């Protein structure tokens, strides 16, 4: 569903600058795209919608598995929308609906408009009559190495996640 992912990314980019003209432009990040796709696929395969999978895996833990040196802020928006197989998934219509769902939720809107985020990745997956989407936002904070361990990058401050907010229609 790359076309839907790109359209959502573009709409979010526009909304960020409409909400806060000083917000940094988002750049697509391949690592975030991979993690967002993995989380959306997991939700689709296991028929759930939450920031943590049934096994406790989160986007944060997936990113740390990929890049143990990551030090930054991470935000995540998830949503699921139903569709009819006869009607299919119209990219423009569904992208607009996903973005509107997030804009109508205070926590999701805060995530997508947080001015310091400079990278993003969107992942989408289908299951039955449902489209699942995850959008991740990140920025590095560049914390110094701990003097006692030259390989350590310190603690990882993460942006608070809205508590299990479900954006379903």
């Amino acid at each position: 569903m790359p076309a839907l992912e790109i359209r959502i990314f573009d709409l979010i980019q526009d909304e960020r600058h409409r909400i806060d003209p000083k917000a940094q432009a988002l750049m697509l990040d391949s690592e975030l795209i991979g993690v967002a796709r993995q989380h959306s696929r997991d939700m689709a395969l296991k028929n759930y919608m939450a920031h943590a999978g049934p096994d406790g895996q989160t986007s944060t833990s997936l990113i740390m598995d990929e890049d143990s040196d990551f030090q930054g802020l991470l935000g995540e928006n998830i949503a699921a929308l139903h569709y009819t197989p006869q009607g299919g998934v119209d990219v423009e219509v569904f992208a607009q609906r996903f973005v509107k769902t997030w804009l109508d939720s205070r926590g999701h809107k805060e995530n997508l408009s947080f001015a310091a985020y400079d990278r993003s990745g969107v992942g989408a997956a289908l299951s039955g009559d449902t489209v699942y989407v995850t959008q991740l936002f990140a920025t590095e904070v560049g914390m110094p190495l701990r003097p006692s361990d030259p390989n350590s990058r310190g603690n990882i401050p993460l942006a608070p996640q809205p508590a299990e907010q479900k954006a379903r229609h």
Side-chain angles (χ1 to χ4, degrees):
M1 306 199 75
L4 179 62
E5 296 167 351
I6 294 297
R7 187 63 185 132
I8 290 170
F9 174 82
D10 289 341
L11 290 170
I12 292 297
Q13 186 87 283
D14 293 344
E15 288 297 329
R16 281 173 56 82
H17 290 108
R18 188 185 60 72
I19 294 165
D20 181 357
K22 297 178 185 173
Q24 293 193 50
L26 294 172
M27 297 191 60
L28 281 172
D29 180 289
S30 61
E31 183 178 8
L32 295 177
I33 292 168
V35 170
R37 285 177 175 166
Q38 187 174 348
H39 187 65
S40 290
R41 272 193 309 267
D42 192 61
M43 290 191 296
L45 289 171
K46 297 175 183 169
N47 194 30
Y48 72 93
M49 196 183 84
H51 293 287
D55 61 357
Q57 189 87 350
T58 65
S59 293
T60 302
S61 58
L62 292 170
I63 286 172
M64 292 306 298
D65 289 347
E66 294 286 323
D67 180 3
S68 61
D69 289 335
F70 175 78
Q71 297 180 41
L73 301 174
L74 180 68
E76 177 181 66
N77 284 349
I78 59 173
L81 295 173
H82 294 285
Y83 74 99
T84 59
Q86 309 89 311
V89 177
D90 179 297
V91 168
E92 185 62 28
V93 170
F94 273 76
Q96 294 281 349
R97 286 179 61 199
F98 277 111
V99 171
K100 181 178 179 344
T101 297
W102 290 331
L103 290 171
D104 289 345
S105 160
R106 193 184 112 246
H108 291 101
K109 185 176 181 177
E110 287 173 359
N111 266 348
L112 69 86
S113 64
F114 183 62
Y117 288 141
D118 60 1
R119 295 178 293 146
S120 183
V122 181
L126 289 173
S127 178
D129 66 348
T130 306
V131 181
Y132 295 86
V133 171
T134 302
Q135 183 166 20
L136 298 174
F137 305 92
T139 187
E140 296 281 337
V141 294
M143 296 173 68
L145 295 174
R146 281 186 263 170
S148 61
D149 182 358
N151 294 318
S152 172
R153 303 278 298 182
N155 295 324
I156 301 156
L158 297 174
Q161 299 288 326
E164 294 281 326
Q165 291 183 356
K166 293 185 178 182
R168 254 184 201 246
H169 286 287

